[in-house]
Amino acid sequence: MSRMTPFSSPLLLGFDAMEKTLERLAKSGDSYPPYNIERLSGADGKAERLRITLAVAGFAETDLDVTTEENQLVVRGRQNDDTEREFLHRGIAARQFQRCFVLADGMRVIAAELKNGLLSIDLDRPESERLVRKINISVKD
């Protein structure tokens, strides 16, 4: 029996990668680090800007890595376990994480800033021009 998916319509062509991305997102259940996503009004009032803020207390700038890979924003954090210290109680673990955000076509990362344990990543989507292209029809005898 075949499975019906949102993209199984014959009118939706080339959305296989998006369907796989949605399936992967549905399976991911990790909630660390916590994050906010907010919409910011642009300077001109039109351009859409977004800010992703992740709570990364205890991570230094050198412990964090922000990259874009194809249509994904990937934030990685790596803390080294300090073996020189002797803990009587250890409630704060040196954690590693990877958080991925799927970006729509045309989304750009403007800047990333670490302040007071919060990593803020600003994104925007420039207004795209509406592209209409005439396709010539050839006639074969």
Side-chain angles (χ1 to χ4, degrees):
M1 179 175 193
S2 66
R3 181 179 65 128
M4 290 297 292
T5 65
F7 298 100
S8 61
S9 169
L11 301 175
L12 297 173
L13 304 174
F15 287 93
D16 302 341
M18 184 178 293
E19 185 174 11
K20 289 177 185 174
T21 300
L22 290 173
E23 287 176 3
R24 189 179 70 242
L25 288 174
K27 291 178 185 175
S28 69
D30 190 18
S31 62
Y32 181 78
Y35 64 92
N36 292 335
I37 301 176
E38 54 187 310
R39 185 181 321 271
L40 305 172
S41 59
D44 56 1
K46 288 185 189 177
E48 179 178 298
R49 289 186 39 219
L50 300 174
R51 176 173 289 154
I52 301 170
T53 305
L54 292 98
V56 292
F59 286 85
E61 178 187 356
T62 56
D63 298 332
L64 298 168
D65 188 34
V66 179
T67 58
T68 54
E69 299 172 10
E70 295 186 18
N71 66 332
Q72 289 189 344
L73 171 66
V74 181
V75 182
R76 292 182 180 92
R78 294 178 205 85
Q79 285 181 321
N80 294 326
D81 203 4
D82 192 357
T83 56
E84 295 178 7
R85 299 164 75 184
E86 180 182 346
F87 292 98
L88 300 177
H89 170 75
R90 183 149 189 191
I92 303 171
R95 293 182 78 169
Q96 295 186 13
F97 70 87
Q98 176 173 310
R99 172 70 70 181
C100 297
F101 299 92
V102 178
L103 303 176
D105 289 340
M107 293 293 292
R108 299 182 307 185
V109 176
I110 301 170
E113 177 185 27
L114 180 63
K115 183 178 180 184
N116 297 330
L118 297 174
L119 175 64
S120 297
I121 303 167
D122 290 343
L123 305 120
D124 78 342
R125 181 190 338 224
E127 290 291 325
S128 59
E129 296 178 16
R130 187 168 180 221
L131 180 64
V132 178
R133 192 177 95 200
K134 173 82 172 151
I135 308 297
N136 293 326
I137 301 172
S138 63
V139 178
K140 301 203 183 220
D141 293 327

